[in-house]
Amino acid sequence: MRRLVALIFVLLASACYQVDGETVAASASIRVDGVKDGRYRRPDGVEVRVRWNEGEKQYDVASPDGPTGKARAARLAPGLFLVQYLDAARLTLMAAPKGDDVVLFFADKVAEPRLLKAHGLGLKPGPINALTGPARAVADFYKDLAVSGEFREGERLIYLGG
């Protein structure tokens, strides 16, 4: 199952990391203004349905041919959010609504090693790079990344409608 998840998210690989821990706790998860419920096209061309689940304080993410995942979001800085996507794997990324779409961001290659070292994190290469270290350190890595501005716009989730 992990291989399938890795293949599905291969185009997102530069924008996210696989993690072991919970980087966005359920108690910290918020609904992001500007992210609409409805259908989105991922960068790999797969359409998913995203719906805010008020009872669980997280997004339900369903693809036509795959299992349903969950996504939680927490504010990092004005307009920027830490998102953890959970299904067979745990993926963490930085994102922001832009118009109707959701833009994914990735760390500058020059800043990434410095920020990883500052937070005591390791990087394990793979189809989706894995951050090794405590979940709190991963969240702090993203907080510093958001504040530093040392990131670039990557792929988008394109809003297709309700």
Side-chain angles (χ1 to χ4, degrees):
M1 186 57 132
R2 274 197 128 115
R3 283 186 138 182
L4 176 62
V5 171
L7 290 173
I8 289 171
F9 289 99
V10 75
L11 291 176
L12 301 177
S14 65
C16 69
Y17 298 100
Q18 190 165 334
V19 296
D20 286 330
E22 190 173 85
T23 55
V24 178
S27 61
S29 183
I30 62 169
R31 183 172 190 160
V32 177
D33 289 335
V35 175
K36 299 176 181 181
D37 286 358
R39 293 177 306 112
Y40 288 82
R41 182 179 303 115
R42 295 189 321 216
D44 62 0
V46 173
E47 287 186 23
V48 293
R49 180 161 295 279
V50 175
R51 182 184 65 83
W52 175 250
N53 183 328
E54 183 64 35
E56 295 181 10
K57 300 288 188 210
Q58 60 190 3
Y59 291 92
D60 294 327
V61 181
S63 61
D65 299 325
T68 298
K70 304 287 185 182
R72 298 177 184 160
R75 189 175 317 281
L76 285 173
L80 288 172
F81 298 87
L82 178 63
V83 177
Q84 183 162 30
Y85 178 76
L86 307 128
D87 66 357
R90 292 175 191 246
L91 304 174
T92 299
L93 56 105
M94 189 166 65
K98 191 170 191 178
D100 288 340
D101 302 336
V102 177
V103 177
L104 310 177
F105 296 94
F106 60 94
D108 284 344
K109 289 303 172 189
V110 172
E112 183 183 53
R114 179 177 43 76
L115 290 171
L116 291 172
K117 184 176 180 181
H119 293 285
L121 296 169
L123 185 65
K124 182 178 172 188
I128 298 175
N129 291 337
L131 290 181
T132 58
R136 180 78 254 151
V138 173
D140 289 341
F141 163 84
Y142 275 104
K143 285 179 185 174
D144 284 351
L145 180 62
V147 170
S148 75
E150 296 176 289
F151 55 87
R152 298 282 176 254
E153 187 173 314
E155 302 287 347
R156 290 175 179 245
L157 299 174
I158 306 295
Y159 181 69
L160 302 173

